[in-house]
Amino acid sequence: MALDKIDRKILTLLQKDATMPVAEIGRKVGLSTTPCWRRIQKMEEDGVIQRRVAVLDPAKVNVGVTVFVSVKTNEHNDAWMRKFAGVVDEFPEVVEFYRMSGDVDYLMRVVVPDIGAYDAFYKRLIGKINLTDVSSAFAMGQIKYTTALPLDFAIVVDDDK
Amino acid sequence: MALDKIDRKILTLLQKDATMPVAEIGRKVGLSTTPCWRRIQKMEEDGVIQRRVAVLDPAKVNVGVTVFVSVKTNEHNDAWMRKFAGVVDEFPEVVEFYRMSGDVDYLMRVVVPDIGAYDAFYKRLIGKINLTDVSSAFAMGQIKYTTALPLDFAIVVDDDK
DNA sequence: TCTCGTGAGCAATTTTATTGCGTAACTTTG
DNA sequence: CAAAGTTACGCAATAAAATTGCTCACGAGA
């Protein structure tokens, strides 16, 4: 599952634009179409590349507002966590959800059109599961957002190129 | 720029899997290839669809740890904000960056291999820009992560279908 | 040196994307 | 009410890209 320099170049390109023809990717990384294609296939099979998706403009689909919701709880057992996860999964407004260390127990990122919609979401959420300590922080603006992960840390075997 | 029910169905599919052939998308939304293709083109031109990207498995590229970094500052001017934004842009580890209301001024999501790498990142960051009040919260696990935005709020004109 | 395993490339072949053209439904206007 | 324009559809042809089969070259180990 190790990635060499060419693999990482390919991934860098695909993280930016997954519509680029394999022939062009090959050209950019110094490979002909076939071996380049095979490398991509392998990375998909290995699960390094999970999927290819369309990224939409949040404002254009009317979810320009991001809210970070912190949750503290007393229920520190696995069953409750699963239930919470299940509930959250039902809400498409929740685009990210983390179990945290430290001060808060869970953190989620929620996208909505405006404050009013957030309030409606909030009511629906607490209707589905009992949450005691919830705190919401509104983002005034998204300065950076990328789906591209840094590849500088990827495991490498042979990296002389 | 309004989206009807068919457009939203198309977007739902493309947000899940952008490799699906247009013919198949058309079949699923009850349209032949051409009009379906034209709708997709239009949404790309309109910027509703921003891009198509490959999504990688964080663990497989060795950035399995997410850290949320909160920043408070006294510098509440536009120039400083731009500088900060510029600095952050240089760091591929920072995948999201928000200007916040309330308690903290900025919030960023950082992905790294481990605590040690986070510390190294932190040192590099504060070497680039003077930050006084920084607080880091580690995620113990990612329970949900999706690039798919909810389409329930999208602006609609004619939605009788 | 011989043989095997790994990657590369060329040249089909198959799949998809893209375009040209004609038709039907709905709207606007005289 | 009908003519004319606009919009969206579908079929069929064309162009582009993905995918596969086969062969060749290189380096490691017997």
Side-chain angles (χ1 to χ4, degrees), chain B residues 47-93:
Chain B
V48 174
I49 297 173
Q50 285 187 323
R51 58 215 322 222
R52 292 152 186 254
V53 302
V55 176
L56 310 189
D57 182 329
K60 298 241 167 101
V61 295
N62 199 28
V63 288
V65 172
T66 278
V67 187
F68 285 93
V69 182
S70 308
V71 175
K72 296 181 195 178
T73 181
N74 297 316
E75 303 269 10
H76 292 290
N77 57 77
D78 193 60
W80 191 85
M81 197 205 88
R82 287 180 190 285
K83 186 190 172 186
F84 192 16
V87 168
V88 162
D89 249 336
E90 301 288 301
F91 288 90
E93 296 97 326

mmCIF file of all heavy atoms in Angstrom, chain B residues 47-93:
data_model
loop_
_atom_site.group_PDB
_atom_site.id
_atom_site.type_symbol
_atom_site.label_atom_id
_atom_site.label_comp_id
_atom_site.label_asym_id
_atom_site.label_seq_id
_atom_site.Cartn_x
_atom_site.Cartn_y
_atom_site.Cartn_z
ATOM 1 N N GLY B 47 -21.802 27.136 -11.867
ATOM 2 C CA GLY B 47 -20.996 27.039 -10.655
ATOM 3 C C GLY B 47 -21.686 26.314 -9.517
ATOM 4 O O GLY B 47 -21.162 26.285 -8.407
ATOM 5 N N VAL B 48 -22.835 25.764 -9.778
ATOM 6 C CA VAL B 48 -23.480 24.952 -8.730
ATOM 7 C C VAL B 48 -22.598 23.747 -8.450
ATOM 8 O O VAL B 48 -22.286 23.436 -7.302
ATOM 9 C CB VAL B 48 -24.887 24.500 -9.178
ATOM 10 C CG1 VAL B 48 -25.485 23.548 -8.147
ATOM 11 C CG2 VAL B 48 -25.784 25.697 -9.395
ATOM 12 N N ILE B 49 -22.168 23.095 -9.527
ATOM 13 C CA ILE B 49 -21.135 22.069 -9.410
ATOM 14 C C ILE B 49 -19.797 22.771 -9.574
ATOM 15 O O ILE B 49 -19.510 23.326 -10.623
ATOM 16 C CB ILE B 49 -21.283 20.986 -10.494
ATOM 17 C CG1 ILE B 49 -22.616 20.247 -10.337
ATOM 18 C CG2 ILE B 49 -20.114 20.006 -10.427
ATOM 19 C CD1 ILE B 49 -22.930 19.283 -11.468
ATOM 20 N N GLN B 50 -19.005 22.777 -8.512
ATOM 21 C CA GLN B 50 -17.738 23.500 -8.568
ATOM 22 C C GLN B 50 -16.655 22.685 -9.238
ATOM 23 O O GLN B 50 -15.855 23.194 -10.005
ATOM 24 C CB GLN B 50 -17.276 23.861 -7.158
ATOM 25 C CG GLN B 50 -18.058 25.010 -6.559
ATOM 26 C CD GLN B 50 -17.459 25.454 -5.247
ATOM 27 O OE1 GLN B 50 -16.980 24.643 -4.462
ATOM 28 N NE2 GLN B 50 -17.491 26.751 -5.003
ATOM 29 N N ARG B 51 -16.599 21.416 -8.895
ATOM 30 C CA ARG B 51 -15.556 20.548 -9.428
ATOM 31 C C ARG B 51 -15.858 19.104 -9.117
ATOM 32 O O ARG B 51 -16.775 18.800 -8.364
ATOM 33 C CB ARG B 51 -14.202 20.930 -8.813
ATOM 34 C CG ARG B 51 -14.210 20.842 -7.309
ATOM 35 C CD ARG B 51 -13.372 21.899 -6.634
ATOM 36 N NE ARG B 51 -12.161 22.182 -7.322
ATOM 37 C CZ ARG B 51 -10.973 22.367 -6.733
ATOM 38 N NH1 ARG B 51 -10.891 22.242 -5.426
ATOM 39 N NH2 ARG B 51 -9.914 22.666 -7.413
ATOM 40 N N ARG B 52 -15.067 18.226 -9.704
ATOM 41 C CA ARG B 52 -15.162 16.813 -9.371
ATOM 42 C C ARG B 52 -13.809 16.402 -8.859
ATOM 43 O O ARG B 52 -12.800 16.691 -9.501
ATOM 44 C CB ARG B 52 -15.529 15.992 -10.601
ATOM 45 C CG ARG B 52 -16.948 16.259 -11.084
ATOM 46 C CD ARG B 52 -17.010 16.016 -12.563
ATOM 47 N NE ARG B 52 -18.291 16.374 -13.131
ATOM 48 C CZ ARG B 52 -19.195 15.481 -13.509
ATOM 49 N NH1 ARG B 52 -18.946 14.198 -13.366
ATOM 50 N NH2 ARG B 52 -20.329 15.875 -14.032
ATOM 51 N N VAL B 53 -13.797 15.769 -7.722
ATOM 52 C CA VAL B 53 -12.519 15.438 -7.095
ATOM 53 C C VAL B 53 -12.495 13.994 -6.629
ATOM 54 O O VAL B 53 -13.536 13.374 -6.429
ATOM 55 C CB VAL B 53 -12.251 16.347 -5.880
ATOM 56 C CG1 VAL B 53 -12.256 17.808 -6.272
ATOM 57 C CG2 VAL B 53 -13.252 16.083 -4.773
ATOM 58 N N ALA B 54 -11.281 13.497 -6.458
ATOM 59 C CA ALA B 54 -11.092 12.189 -5.841
ATOM 60 C C ALA B 54 -10.976 12.380 -4.338
ATOM 61 O O ALA B 54 -10.271 13.274 -3.877
ATOM 62 C CB ALA B 54 -9.841 11.523 -6.392
ATOM 63 N N VAL B 55 -11.704 11.576 -3.594
ATOM 64 C CA VAL B 55 -11.641 11.630 -2.132
ATOM 65 C C VAL B 55 -10.793 10.463 -1.642
ATOM 66 O O VAL B 55 -11.066 9.318 -1.981
ATOM 67 C CB VAL B 55 -13.053 11.538 -1.522
ATOM 68 C CG1 VAL B 55 -12.977 11.493 -0.008
ATOM 69 C CG2 VAL B 55 -13.908 12.704 -1.989
ATOM 70 N N LEU B 56 -9.777 10.767 -0.871
ATOM 71 C CA LEU B 56 -8.859 9.736 -0.395
ATOM 72 C C LEU B 56 -9.201 9.299 1.026
ATOM 73 O O LEU B 56 -9.876 10.016 1.763
ATOM 74 C CB LEU B 56 -7.421 10.267 -0.420
ATOM 75 C CG LEU B 56 -6.947 10.917 -1.724
ATOM 76 C CD1 LEU B 56 -5.454 11.187 -1.644
ATOM 77 C CD2 LEU B 56 -7.261 10.047 -2.924
ATOM 78 N N ASP B 57 -8.702 8.139 1.365
ATOM 79 C CA ASP B 57 -8.858 7.638 2.727
ATOM 80 C C ASP B 57 -7.759 8.254 3.592
ATOM 81 O O ASP B 57 -6.577 8.006 3.364
ATOM 82 C CB ASP B 57 -8.721 6.116 2.703
ATOM 83 C CG ASP B 57 -8.912 5.496 4.088
ATOM 84 O OD1 ASP B 57 -8.580 6.162 5.084
ATOM 85 O OD2 ASP B 57 -9.378 4.356 4.158
ATOM 86 N N PRO B 58 -8.135 9.057 4.583
ATOM 87 C CA PRO B 58 -7.132 9.757 5.392
ATOM 88 C C PRO B 58 -6.126 8.797 6.021
ATOM 89 O O PRO B 58 -4.916 9.052 5.976
ATOM 90 C CB PRO B 58 -7.965 10.454 6.468
ATOM 91 C CG PRO B 58 -9.334 10.558 5.905
ATOM 92 C CD PRO B 58 -9.512 9.372 5.013
ATOM 93 N N ALA B 59 -6.622 7.711 6.566
ATOM 94 C CA ALA B 59 -5.719 6.772 7.231
ATOM 95 C C ALA B 59 -4.709 6.200 6.235
ATOM 96 O O ALA B 59 -3.531 6.061 6.551
ATOM 97 C CB ALA B 59 -6.521 5.641 7.872
ATOM 98 N N LYS B 60 -5.167 5.922 5.033
ATOM 99 C CA LYS B 60 -4.288 5.281 4.049
ATOM 100 C C LYS B 60 -3.206 6.221 3.522
ATOM 101 O O LYS B 60 -2.236 5.782 2.919
ATOM 102 C CB LYS B 60 -5.128 4.747 2.890
ATOM 103 C CG LYS B 60 -6.134 3.691 3.336
ATOM 104 C CD LYS B 60 -5.922 2.350 2.690
ATOM 105 C CE LYS B 60 -6.723 1.269 3.390
ATOM 106 N NZ LYS B 60 -7.948 0.909 2.681
ATOM 107 N N VAL B 61 -3.407 7.502 3.660
ATOM 108 C CA VAL B 61 -2.331 8.419 3.280
ATOM 109 C C VAL B 61 -1.677 9.013 4.535
ATOM 110 O O VAL B 61 -1.020 10.053 4.471
ATOM 111 C CB VAL B 61 -2.807 9.527 2.317
ATOM 112 C CG1 VAL B 61 -3.229 8.929 0.989
ATOM 113 C CG2 VAL B 61 -3.923 10.350 2.926
ATOM 114 N N ASN B 62 -1.940 8.329 5.645
ATOM 115 C CA ASN B 62 -1.233 8.657 6.893
ATOM 116 C C ASN B 62 -1.545 10.050 7.469
ATOM 117 O O ASN B 62 -0.663 10.729 7.970
ATOM 118 C CB ASN B 62 0.288 8.502 6.671
ATOM 119 C CG ASN B 62 1.037 8.376 7.981
ATOM 120 O OD1 ASN B 62 0.498 7.892 8.978
ATOM 121 N ND2 ASN B 62 2.267 8.829 7.991
ATOM 122 N N VAL B 63 -2.791 10.439 7.375
ATOM 123 C CA VAL B 63 -3.217 11.654 8.076
ATOM 124 C C VAL B 63 -4.524 11.349 8.812
ATOM 125 O O VAL B 63 -5.519 12.045 8.680
ATOM 126 C CB VAL B 63 -3.411 12.868 7.132
ATOM 127 C CG1 VAL B 63 -2.081 13.374 6.667
ATOM 128 C CG2 VAL B 63 -4.322 12.531 5.972
ATOM 129 N N GLY B 64 -4.447 10.306 9.633
ATOM 130 C CA GLY B 64 -5.641 9.828 10.303
ATOM 131 C C GLY B 64 -6.092 10.646 11.497
ATOM 132 O O GLY B 64 -7.146 10.406 12.059
ATOM 133 N N VAL B 65 -5.282 11.618 11.892
ATOM 134 C CA VAL B 65 -5.624 12.403 13.078
ATOM 135 C C VAL B 65 -6.107 13.802 12.700
ATOM 136 O O VAL B 65 -5.454 14.506 11.931
ATOM 137 C CB VAL B 65 -4.401 12.521 14.008
ATOM 138 C CG1 VAL B 65 -4.664 13.494 15.145
ATOM 139 C CG2 VAL B 65 -4.020 11.150 14.545
ATOM 140 N N THR B 66 -7.260 14.167 13.240
ATOM 141 C CA THR B 66 -7.798 15.508 13.017
ATOM 142 C C THR B 66 -7.668 16.329 14.295
ATOM 143 O O THR B 66 -7.971 15.838 15.377
ATOM 144 C CB THR B 66 -9.282 15.445 12.611
ATOM 145 O OG1 THR B 66 -9.376 15.165 11.210
ATOM 146 C CG2 THR B 66 -9.991 16.776 12.864
ATOM 147 N N VAL B 67 -7.227 17.560 14.126
ATOM 148 C CA VAL B 67 -7.127 18.464 15.264
ATOM 149 C C VAL B 67 -7.891 19.748 14.927
ATOM 150 O O VAL B 67 -7.738 20.285 13.831
ATOM 151 C CB VAL B 67 -5.660 18.824 15.562
ATOM 152 C CG1 VAL B 67 -5.557 19.628 16.849
ATOM 153 C CG2 VAL B 67 -4.791 17.586 15.617
ATOM 154 N N PHE B 68 -8.700 20.187 15.854
ATOM 155 C CA PHE B 68 -9.373 21.470 15.682
ATOM 156 C C PHE B 68 -8.607 22.525 16.458
ATOM 157 O O PHE B 68 -8.383 22.378 17.658
ATOM 158 C CB PHE B 68 -10.823 21.401 16.162
ATOM 159 C CG PHE B 68 -11.700 20.670 15.203
ATOM 160 C CD1 PHE B 68 -11.926 19.311 15.350
ATOM 161 C CD2 PHE B 68 -12.281 21.332 14.130
ATOM 162 C CE1 PHE B 68 -12.725 18.619 14.449
ATOM 163 C CE2 PHE B 68 -13.081 20.652 13.224
ATOM 164 C CZ PHE B 68 -13.302 19.289 13.379
ATOM 165 N N VAL B 69 -8.223 23.551 15.761
ATOM 166 C CA VAL B 69 -7.395 24.584 16.363
ATOM 167 C C VAL B 69 -8.194 25.887 16.449
ATOM 168 O O VAL B 69 -8.624 26.427 15.428
ATOM 169 C CB VAL B 69 -6.119 24.815 15.532
ATOM 170 C CG1 VAL B 69 -5.229 25.851 16.190
ATOM 171 C CG2 VAL B 69 -5.378 23.505 15.328
ATOM 172 N N SER B 70 -8.378 26.357 17.680
ATOM 173 C CA SER B 70 -9.106 27.608 17.892
ATOM 174 C C SER B 70 -8.106 28.730 18.122
ATOM 175 O O SER B 70 -7.141 28.562 18.862
ATOM 176 C CB SER B 70 -9.990 27.511 19.130
ATOM 177 O OG SER B 70 -10.801 26.366 19.069
ATOM 178 N N VAL B 71 -8.370 29.856 17.504
ATOM 179 C CA VAL B 71 -7.467 30.994 17.639
ATOM 180 C C VAL B 71 -8.250 32.222 18.087
ATOM 181 O O VAL B 71 -9.288 32.541 17.508
ATOM 182 C CB VAL B 71 -6.760 31.292 16.298
ATOM 183 C CG1 VAL B 71 -5.919 32.552 16.407
ATOM 184 C CG2 VAL B 71 -5.914 30.101 15.864
ATOM 185 N N LYS B 72 -7.739 32.857 19.117
ATOM 186 C CA LYS B 72 -8.284 34.155 19.517
ATOM 187 C C LYS B 72 -7.213 35.202 19.252
ATOM 188 O O LYS B 72 -6.026 34.928 19.442
ATOM 189 C CB LYS B 72 -8.608 34.173 21.009
ATOM 190 C CG LYS B 72 -9.689 33.208 21.418
ATOM 191 C CD LYS B 72 -9.964 33.317 22.920
ATOM 192 C CE LYS B 72 -10.764 32.132 23.414
ATOM 193 N NZ LYS B 72 -11.003 32.167 24.867
ATOM 194 N N THR B 73 -7.609 36.369 18.851
ATOM 195 C CA THR B 73 -6.618 37.385 18.524
ATOM 196 C C THR B 73 -7.114 38.765 18.915
ATOM 197 O O THR B 73 -8.304 38.975 19.128
ATOM 198 C CB THR B 73 -6.282 37.375 17.021
ATOM 199 O OG1 THR B 73 -5.297 38.356 16.755
ATOM 200 C CG2 THR B 73 -7.510 37.689 16.194
ATOM 201 N N ASN B 74 -6.155 39.678 18.988
ATOM 202 C CA ASN B 74 -6.533 41.071 19.236
ATOM 203 C C ASN B 74 -6.572 41.856 17.936
ATOM 204 O O ASN B 74 -7.134 42.935 17.857
ATOM 205 C CB ASN B 74 -5.519 41.722 20.182
ATOM 206 C CG ASN B 74 -5.518 41.044 21.535
ATOM 207 O OD1 ASN B 74 -6.587 40.761 22.081
ATOM 208 N ND2 ASN B 74 -4.341 40.755 22.052
ATOM 209 N N GLU B 75 -5.945 41.274 16.924
ATOM 210 C CA GLU B 75 -5.848 41.936 15.620
ATOM 211 C C GLU B 75 -7.167 41.783 14.868
ATOM 212 O O GLU B 75 -7.351 40.830 14.117
ATOM 213 C CB GLU B 75 -4.730 41.280 14.803
ATOM 214 C CG GLU B 75 -3.387 41.291 15.470
ATOM 215 C CD GLU B 75 -2.597 42.532 15.089
ATOM 216 O OE1 GLU B 75 -3.183 43.452 14.471
ATOM 217 O OE2 GLU B 75 -1.404 42.572 15.409
ATOM 218 N N HIS B 76 -8.045 42.735 15.038
ATOM 219 C CA HIS B 76 -9.348 42.599 14.384
ATOM 220 C C HIS B 76 -9.454 43.476 13.151
ATOM 221 O O HIS B 76 -10.405 44.228 12.988
ATOM 222 C CB HIS B 76 -10.478 42.932 15.369
ATOM 223 C CG HIS B 76 -10.582 41.922 16.454
ATOM 224 N ND1 HIS B 76 -11.027 40.636 16.244
ATOM 225 C CD2 HIS B 76 -10.259 41.984 17.765
ATOM 226 C CE1 HIS B 76 -10.995 39.972 17.376
ATOM 227 N NE2 HIS B 76 -10.526 40.756 18.315
ATOM 228 N N ASN B 77 -8.455 43.398 12.299
ATOM 229 C CA ASN B 77 -8.525 44.204 11.074
ATOM 230 C C ASN B 77 -8.383 43.317 9.845
ATOM 231 O O ASN B 77 -7.888 42.194 9.905
ATOM 232 C CB ASN B 77 -7.435 45.275 11.079
ATOM 233 C CG ASN B 77 -6.057 44.666 11.238
ATOM 234 O OD1 ASN B 77 -5.513 44.124 10.291
ATOM 235 N ND2 ASN B 77 -5.514 44.739 12.457
ATOM 236 N N ASP B 78 -8.792 43.869 8.742
ATOM 237 C CA ASP B 78 -8.854 43.099 7.509
ATOM 238 C C ASP B 78 -7.474 42.687 7.024
ATOM 239 O O ASP B 78 -7.280 41.571 6.540
ATOM 240 C CB ASP B 78 -9.563 43.932 6.434
ATOM 241 C CG ASP B 78 -9.930 43.088 5.238
ATOM 242 O OD1 ASP B 78 -10.701 42.129 5.432
ATOM 243 O OD2 ASP B 78 -9.430 43.385 4.145
ATOM 244 N N ALA B 79 -6.524 43.592 7.156
ATOM 245 C CA ALA B 79 -5.174 43.293 6.675
ATOM 246 C C ALA B 79 -4.596 42.073 7.381
ATOM 247 O O ALA B 79 -4.033 41.171 6.749
ATOM 248 C CB ALA B 79 -4.263 44.504 6.886
ATOM 249 N N TRP B 80 -4.752 42.054 8.691
ATOM 250 C CA TRP B 80 -4.220 40.930 9.439
ATOM 251 C C TRP B 80 -4.907 39.629 9.042
ATOM 252 O O TRP B 80 -4.280 38.589 8.881
ATOM 253 C CB TRP B 80 -4.368 41.174 10.942
ATOM 254 C CG TRP B 80 -3.597 40.170 11.750
ATOM 255 C CD1 TRP B 80 -2.285 40.227 12.083
ATOM 256 C CD2 TRP B 80 -4.103 38.936 12.286
ATOM 257 N NE1 TRP B 80 -1.928 39.108 12.790
ATOM 258 C CE2 TRP B 80 -3.028 38.306 12.941
ATOM 259 C CE3 TRP B 80 -5.356 38.324 12.285
ATOM 260 C CZ2 TRP B 80 -3.155 37.080 13.590
ATOM 261 C CZ3 TRP B 80 -5.498 37.098 12.925
ATOM 262 C CH2 TRP B 80 -4.407 36.495 13.582
ATOM 263 N N MET B 81 -6.197 39.740 8.848
ATOM 264 C CA MET B 81 -6.945 38.556 8.461
ATOM 265 C C MET B 81 -6.431 37.999 7.140
ATOM 266 O O MET B 81 -6.257 36.796 6.986
ATOM 267 C CB MET B 81 -8.427 38.887 8.329
ATOM 268 C CG MET B 81 -9.306 37.654 8.329
ATOM 269 S SD MET B 81 -10.865 37.918 7.487
ATOM 270 C CE MET B 81 -10.402 37.512 5.799
ATOM 271 N N ARG B 82 -6.172 38.895 6.214
ATOM 272 C CA ARG B 82 -5.656 38.445 4.915
ATOM 273 C C ARG B 82 -4.307 37.776 5.064
ATOM 274 O O ARG B 82 -4.004 36.789 4.414
ATOM 275 C CB ARG B 82 -5.534 39.629 3.949
ATOM 276 C CG ARG B 82 -6.879 40.116 3.461
ATOM 277 C CD ARG B 82 -6.707 41.291 2.504
ATOM 278 N NE ARG B 82 -7.990 41.911 2.220
ATOM 279 C CZ ARG B 82 -8.903 41.368 1.400
ATOM 280 N NH1 ARG B 82 -8.656 40.228 0.788
ATOM 281 N NH2 ARG B 82 -10.061 41.969 1.202
ATOM 282 N N LYS B 83 -3.499 38.363 5.907
ATOM 283 C CA LYS B 83 -2.182 37.760 6.111
ATOM 284 C C LYS B 83 -2.312 36.354 6.696
ATOM 285 O O LYS B 83 -1.697 35.404 6.230
ATOM 286 C CB LYS B 83 -1.333 38.623 7.061
ATOM 287 C CG LYS B 83 0.089 38.088 7.162
ATOM 288 C CD LYS B 83 0.920 38.723 8.252
ATOM 289 C CE LYS B 83 2.243 37.958 8.356
ATOM 290 N NZ LYS B 83 3.059 38.416 9.494
ATOM 291 N N PHE B 84 -3.164 36.252 7.696
ATOM 292 C CA PHE B 84 -3.405 34.963 8.337
ATOM 293 C C PHE B 84 -3.907 33.951 7.306
ATOM 294 O O PHE B 84 -3.405 32.825 7.218
ATOM 295 C CB PHE B 84 -4.415 35.145 9.470
ATOM 296 C CG PHE B 84 -4.539 33.970 10.401
ATOM 297 C CD1 PHE B 84 -3.573 32.959 10.438
ATOM 298 C CD2 PHE B 84 -5.633 33.879 11.262
ATOM 299 C CE1 PHE B 84 -3.705 31.882 11.311
ATOM 300 C CE2 PHE B 84 -5.763 32.805 12.129
ATOM 301 C CZ PHE B 84 -4.805 31.799 12.153
ATOM 302 N N ALA B 85 -4.851 34.397 6.515
ATOM 303 C CA ALA B 85 -5.403 33.518 5.486
ATOM 304 C C ALA B 85 -4.309 33.060 4.530
ATOM 305 O O ALA B 85 -4.245 31.885 4.148
ATOM 306 C CB ALA B 85 -6.519 34.225 4.717
ATOM 307 N N GLY B 86 -3.440 33.987 4.159
ATOM 308 C CA GLY B 86 -2.346 33.650 3.255
ATOM 309 C C GLY B 86 -1.410 32.625 3.855
ATOM 310 O O GLY B 86 -0.999 31.671 3.182
ATOM 311 N N VAL B 87 -1.097 32.798 5.119
ATOM 312 C CA VAL B 87 -0.218 31.853 5.800
ATOM 313 C C VAL B 87 -0.855 30.470 5.848
ATOM 314 O O VAL B 87 -0.227 29.457 5.521
ATOM 315 C CB VAL B 87 0.094 32.339 7.234
ATOM 316 C CG1 VAL B 87 0.760 31.229 8.034
ATOM 317 C CG2 VAL B 87 0.974 33.576 7.181
ATOM 318 N N VAL B 88 -2.105 30.457 6.245
ATOM 319 C CA VAL B 88 -2.804 29.173 6.376
ATOM 320 C C VAL B 88 -2.870 28.439 5.043
ATOM 321 O O VAL B 88 -2.754 27.212 4.979
ATOM 322 C CB VAL B 88 -4.215 29.399 6.948
ATOM 323 C CG1 VAL B 88 -5.101 28.197 6.698
ATOM 324 C CG2 VAL B 88 -4.119 29.692 8.442
ATOM 325 N N ASP B 89 -3.048 29.216 3.984
ATOM 326 C CA ASP B 89 -3.133 28.608 2.655
ATOM 327 C C ASP B 89 -1.887 27.802 2.308
ATOM 328 O O ASP B 89 -1.942 26.842 1.552
ATOM 329 C CB ASP B 89 -3.330 29.693 1.597
ATOM 330 C CG ASP B 89 -4.718 29.617 0.991
ATOM 331 O OD1 ASP B 89 -5.312 28.527 1.033
ATOM 332 O OD2 ASP B 89 -5.193 30.642 0.484
ATOM 333 N N GLU B 90 -0.776 28.222 2.862
ATOM 334 C CA GLU B 90 0.491 27.548 2.586
ATOM 335 C C GLU B 90 0.565 26.165 3.222
ATOM 336 O O GLU B 90 1.403 25.349 2.846
ATOM 337 C CB GLU B 90 1.651 28.384 3.148
ATOM 338 C CG GLU B 90 1.738 29.783 2.583
ATOM 339 C CD GLU B 90 2.223 29.771 1.151
ATOM 340 O OE1 GLU B 90 3.327 29.264 0.918
ATOM 341 O OE2 GLU B 90 1.470 30.231 0.268
ATOM 342 N N PHE B 91 -0.266 25.941 4.205
ATOM 343 C CA PHE B 91 -0.209 24.669 4.918
ATOM 344 C C PHE B 91 -1.259 23.695 4.402
ATOM 345 O O PHE B 91 -2.447 23.872 4.658
ATOM 346 C CB PHE B 91 -0.432 24.893 6.421
ATOM 347 C CG PHE B 91 0.723 25.548 7.123
ATOM 348 C CD1 PHE B 91 0.809 26.925 7.222
ATOM 349 C CD2 PHE B 91 1.735 24.769 7.670
ATOM 350 C CE1 PHE B 91 1.886 27.528 7.863
ATOM 351 C CE2 PHE B 91 2.806 25.361 8.318
ATOM 352 C CZ PHE B 91 2.884 26.751 8.409
ATOM 353 N N PRO B 92 -0.806 22.655 3.706
ATOM 354 C CA PRO B 92 -1.775 21.676 3.214
ATOM 355 C C PRO B 92 -2.431 20.886 4.336
ATOM 356 O O PRO B 92 -3.478 20.286 4.137
ATOM 357 C CB PRO B 92 -0.938 20.769 2.312
ATOM 358 C CG PRO B 92 0.458 20.914 2.805
ATOM 359 C CD PRO B 92 0.567 22.315 3.325
ATOM 360 N N GLU B 93 -1.829 20.911 5.506
ATOM 361 C CA GLU B 93 -2.427 20.201 6.647
ATOM 362 C C GLU B 93 -3.741 20.845 7.082
ATOM 363 O O GLU B 93 -4.589 20.184 7.684
ATOM 364 C CB GLU B 93 -1.485 20.209 7.859
ATOM 365 C CG GLU B 93 -0.181 19.459 7.651
ATOM 366 C CD GLU B 93 0.942 20.402 7.254
ATOM 367 O OE1 GLU B 93 0.679 21.398 6.542
ATOM 368 O OE2 GLU B 93 2.091 20.135 7.666
#
